[in-house]
Amino acid sequence: MERRLAAILAADVVGYSKLMGEDEKGTLAALKVHRKELFDPETERHGGRIVKLMGDGVLVEFPSVVDAVECAMAIQKALTENDGPIRLRIGVNLGDVIVDGDDIYGDGVNLAARLETLAEPGGILVSDIVYQSVHKKIDASFADMGEQKVKNISEPQRTYRIDADKPPVTLNSNKGEPSSVQDKPSIAVLAFTNMSGDPEQEYFSDGISEDIITELSRFQELFVIARNSSFSYKGKSTKVQDIGKDLGVTYVVEGSVRKSGKRLRITVQLIEAATGNHIWAERYDRELEDMFELQDEITQTIVRVLPLRLQGALVERARKKPSENLTAYECFLRAQNLYDHTSRHAREALEQLETAIRIDPKFAQAFALTAYVHAYSVFTLSPIGDDPTIVARKNIVRALDLGEGDHYVHAMACEVFMVCGEHDLAEIHSDKALALNPNEIFALLEKGVLLNYSGNSKEAVEHLQMALAHDPLAPDYQYEGLAEANYMLGNYEEAIRIYERWRDPPVHMYSHLAACYAQLGLMEESREAATLFESGRPKNSDFSFYAAAHARLCKRPEDAEHWLEGYRKAGLID
């Protein structure tokens, strides 16, 4: 046996068992053609050696890590263009391997295999050492996916996703600003400053910064600069504008940690790099009891709020651009900003999403939001089409096909399948969304809504209160699920308090309010709410359609009857 350094490519066929179950003969024939006409020739062209075939998987060794990555990119690109039934997940690692005859094994091989299982269908996931070795040599975009816990490997591993058809983020030499074809907002989190005067507290301030980088990296819509690059400015007096130019980022997060006795004060700021303007700032004062619990709490609070504030800044930038210059991502942002869970701007939002998809036909999040707008339209009393759930389901299936590893897509799928009355599917996608990103506020809220409509209303209230506590400035519509969960528990007074805090509620909220008052026997107040509902709802709207859709949200018949009972008492249905 001998040891040597090698680049290892591990590949696996997506959905192999399902393909074989549906068409065993056709699948085997397609795999044979795939190997003969694509995989084997590309491997040979890039100097690789097929070590072994493992059922639906393959392990390949390369003497050059650049060749290994370029081979993976060529294979995935060809499969995408062919649009056939065979899709691969690929992982690439560079490491020490043990050679035993024609076989190789060891941690270097194991990590490549684990990366393959974490890759998206049609995607390529590489280790940190591969990224450091090739990112300046290959014309592709690398998205920092943060540290991943990998089976049978003790230390978390930083990973990077390759977007083979998108160039890397570069500086626009004409304007001195970051630009990227992938249009992801780019952000660098600098090492937080230790203001405590105690060098031993340095690990805590560094830990906060590192955790924020790791957690922000879960947001696939963000391009987050890796720790090594952003920490290179630690202890230096460098202007934010210069950092932005050096790292090619649009936004910078900086902060400080000050310890005084048993109290900690942590400040965090989001800054626009080009101008130095402060977009958002917050201060957190906490009692210092358990250092590590506090670190987790602060990190979660920041990463749940910061993307929302960042999105607000991005929307403002998009608003200032003429519409003919909009990119797909900016159209998506405009759609998000337009859509307020009413029928007022739903069609305008869909127009923006149609433009986004026309520019980028593989924009999974745009398909997901399109599905959500259609699905939710059954509650606005202005349903889009005869049965919006048909269009919604079609779009969410497409979104899941394109964005299997995207937390936002799975969170949207949870809502869509709930509206379709498919609670088991909704639960699957809710769990996937939170597994991919436990800090995404929308995924957290959808989990609470699902708990409520699955018959776990008490747990739903606790869950939603926890999620909303992280952002006191959350928009009113994010409290809708909390109000509905209180109604289900018979806490009608609390539900009324939440509904009445809305400054400009969608019209269907007045039907809920009327039901709450009716359940309390406050019929005068119920009639007032019902009058507001009747005067505000669209002409020719069908409340019985709405009531049936609302009942379909409930997994248990008794919960559906609870809502219908409230509507009947309020005189809204017979």
Side-chain angles (χ1 to χ4, degrees), residues 105-359:
Y105 57 94
D107 286 345
V109 177
N110 293 340
L111 181 54
R114 298 306 179 197
L115 291 173
E116 171 264 305
T117 63
L118 294 172
E120 300 174 9
I124 305 167
L125 201 66
V126 304
S127 61
D128 184 50
I129 191 171
V130 171
Y131 168 76
Q132 300 296 341
S133 302
V134 307
H135 76 280
K136 293 183 179 179
K137 301 174 184 177
I138 290 177
D139 189 21
S141 169
F142 290 79
D144 186 345
M145 304 303 291
E147 292 187 341
Q148 306 277 345
K149 290 182 179 179
V150 182
K151 185 178 179 182
N152 295 333
I153 294 178
S154 57
E155 297 294 323
Q157 301 292 317
R158 182 168 289 278
T159 63
Y160 294 81
R161 186 185 73 239
I162 297 179
D163 291 323
D165 57 345
K166 297 177 182 177
V169 173
T170 57
L171 286 180
N172 184 328
S173 58
N174 295 325
K175 297 183 179 179
E177 294 181 352
S179 64
S180 168
V181 172
Q182 67 181 353
D183 296 312
K184 288 186 177 182
S186 49
I187 188 167
V189 181
L190 306 182
F192 278 31
T193 304
N194 175 23
M195 307 276 291
S196 304
D198 179 2
E200 292 186 3
Q201 297 301 320
E202 198 82 11
Y203 75 91
F204 182 79
S205 56
D206 284 356
I208 289 284
S209 311
E210 290 172 358
D211 282 355
I212 292 172
I213 292 170
T214 299
E215 295 304 317
L216 284 180
S217 297
R218 294 176 183 267
F219 290 83
Q220 293 194 13
E221 57 269 33
L222 300 179
F223 186 91
V224 184
I225 297 298
R227 175 200 185 281
N228 290 344
S229 297
S230 58
F231 269 48
S232 65
Y233 297 92
K234 185 176 178 180
K236 299 177 182 178
S237 180
T238 310
K239 291 183 177 180
V240 169
Q241 290 91 331
D242 293 334
I243 294 173
K245 290 179 181 179
D246 292 346
L247 298 180
V249 295
T250 312
Y251 300 98
V252 170
V253 176
E254 64 178 17
S256 64
V257 179
R258 183 187 297 276
K259 178 175 177 288
S260 178
K262 292 187 177 181
R263 288 192 66 80
L264 271 177
R265 170 169 291 180
I266 298 174
T267 62
V268 59
Q269 301 175 88
L270 175 64
I271 302 168
E272 187 176 44
T275 62
N277 292 335
H278 287 64
I279 296 169
W280 169 69
E282 191 61 84
R283 185 179 73 194
Y284 302 94
D285 290 308
R286 296 290 191 276
E287 290 289 338
L288 181 57
E289 295 178 359
D290 186 305
M291 183 77 78
F292 297 108
E293 284 187 8
L294 178 63
Q295 184 171 322
D296 290 342
E297 178 198 345
I298 292 293
T299 299
Q300 288 179 4
T301 300
I302 291 171
V303 299
R304 285 179 186 169
V305 174
L306 194 149
L308 299 175
R309 303 296 176 261
L310 177 60
Q311 187 181 80
L314 291 166
V315 168
E316 286 303 311
R317 286 168 65 92
R319 279 176 176 169
K320 295 174 183 177
K321 280 190 172 185
S323 59
E324 64 269 16
N325 292 332
L326 284 178
T327 63
Y329 188 72
E330 286 167 336
C331 287
F332 173 74
L333 287 176
R334 283 195 170 187
Q336 279 192 317
N337 186 60
L338 279 166
Y339 186 60
D340 59 358
H341 292 71
T342 72
S343 60
R344 285 175 293 201
H345 305 293
R347 295 189 184 276
E348 292 176 68
L350 288 173
E351 287 174 4
Q352 292 289 332
L353 291 168
E354 287 172 7
T355 303
I357 291 168
R358 186 167 62 250
I359 296 170

Side-chain angles (χ1 to χ4, degrees), residues 311-467:
Q311 187 181 80
L314 291 166
V315 168
E316 286 303 311
R317 286 168 65 92
R319 279 176 176 169
K320 295 174 183 177
K321 280 190 172 185
S323 59
E324 64 269 16
N325 292 332
L326 284 178
T327 63
Y329 188 72
E330 286 167 336
C331 287
F332 173 74
L333 287 176
R334 283 195 170 187
Q336 279 192 317
N337 186 60
L338 279 166
Y339 186 60
D340 59 358
H341 292 71
T342 72
S343 60
R344 285 175 293 201
H345 305 293
R347 295 189 184 276
E348 292 176 68
L350 288 173
E351 287 174 4
Q352 292 289 332
L353 291 168
E354 287 172 7
T355 303
I357 291 168
R358 186 167 62 250
I359 296 170
D360 182 359
K362 295 185 177 181
F363 197 162
Q365 292 189 357
F367 279 104
L369 185 54
T370 299
Y372 184 92
V373 173
H374 278 90
Y376 199 86
S377 75
V378 302
F379 302 125
T380 66
L381 289 111
S382 294
I384 301 170
D386 294 334
D387 187 352
T389 60
I390 296 174
V391 179
R393 212 180 188 287
K394 178 182 177 181
N395 277 278
I396 203 64
V397 168
R398 178 61 174 155
L400 288 166
D401 185 52
L402 293 169
E404 186 179 282
D406 191 316
H407 60 90
Y408 179 90
V409 170
H410 285 290
M412 288 288 183
C414 172
E415 172 75 16
V416 172
F417 287 124
M418 259 196 297
V419 174
C420 293
E422 301 177 69
H423 293 82
D424 292 341
L425 272 178
E427 184 175 3
I428 288 170
H429 291 290
S430 174
D431 290 345
K432 284 186 177 181
L434 290 172
L436 288 164
N437 190 344
N439 300 303
E440 210 321 306
I441 187 67
F442 182 75
L444 286 164
L445 295 176
E446 282 299 310
K447 179 66 173 180
V449 173
L450 177 62
L451 284 168
N452 179 42
Y453 282 109
S454 297
N456 302 306
S457 299
K458 183 177 179 181
E459 186 181 349
V461 167
E462 294 171 354
H463 178 90
L464 290 165
Q465 286 175 336
M466 177 275 295

